[in-house]
Amino acid sequence: MLTALHHVQLAAPPGSEDALRAFYGGVLGLEEIPKPPELAKRGGAWFRGPGLELHLGIEQDFRPARKAHPGLLTGDLDALADRLRAAGHDVRPDGLFPGYRRFYADDPVGNRLEFLQPED
C-alpha cells in the first residue's frame, strides 16, 4: 500500500525556469536537484527540502493552479512571510484551519502555495 508522498508536480510556462529557480531556490531556500537527462530535455526544474520534493514541469498551454496547491510546513511562519514580502510576493493570511497558522502566496508563475505552521 501507499507509504509516503514522493513529490508534488506543479506546471509552469515555457521559459520560466530562471524565475522558478530564483523563487524556489532563492526565496524558499530549496535545493535544485538534477532531472534525469531524458526529462531535462523537457525543461522545468526540480527542488528538494527537508521532507519534501517539488517538480515544476513545463506546460505549453499553461494556466496557474489557483485552487489546487501543495501545503508546505514551516517552523517559522512569520519569518517566511517576511522573506516572501521582501521578495515582492503577496502573503494572504488564513485562520480557517484549526491547529495551524497559515497563509497563501503565489509562486512567480501564479501557482497557489499554502504555508503552514502547527500552533503551540
Side-chain angles (χ1 to χ4, degrees), residues 74 94-102 116-120:
T74 180
D94 179 294
L96 300 177
F97 192 174
Y100 290 88
R101 295 178 55 233
R102 72 178 180 167
L116 306 100
Q117 180 178 355
E119 291 180 336
D120 292 328

Side-chain angles (χ1 to χ4, degrees), residues 71-89:
L72 305 169
L73 290 171
T74 180
D76 193 337
L77 193 69
D78 296 322
L80 180 57
D82 290 345
R83 189 173 174 108
L84 284 161
R85 285 186 189 106
H89 296 275

Side-chain angles (χ1 to χ4, degrees), residues 52-70:
L52 68 99
E53 195 165 306
L54 293 173
H55 296 181
L56 282 292
I58 299 302
E59 188 170 13
Q60 294 301 317
D61 192 22
F62 171 74
R63 282 183 283 150
R66 304 302 307 148
K67 183 70 173 176
H69 61 274

Side-chain angles (χ1 to χ4, degrees), residues 16 21 24 46 48 57 62 73 79 89 105:
S16 63
R21 288 183 179 100
Y24 287 97
W46 291 2
R48 183 180 291 152
F62 171 74
L73 290 171
H89 296 275

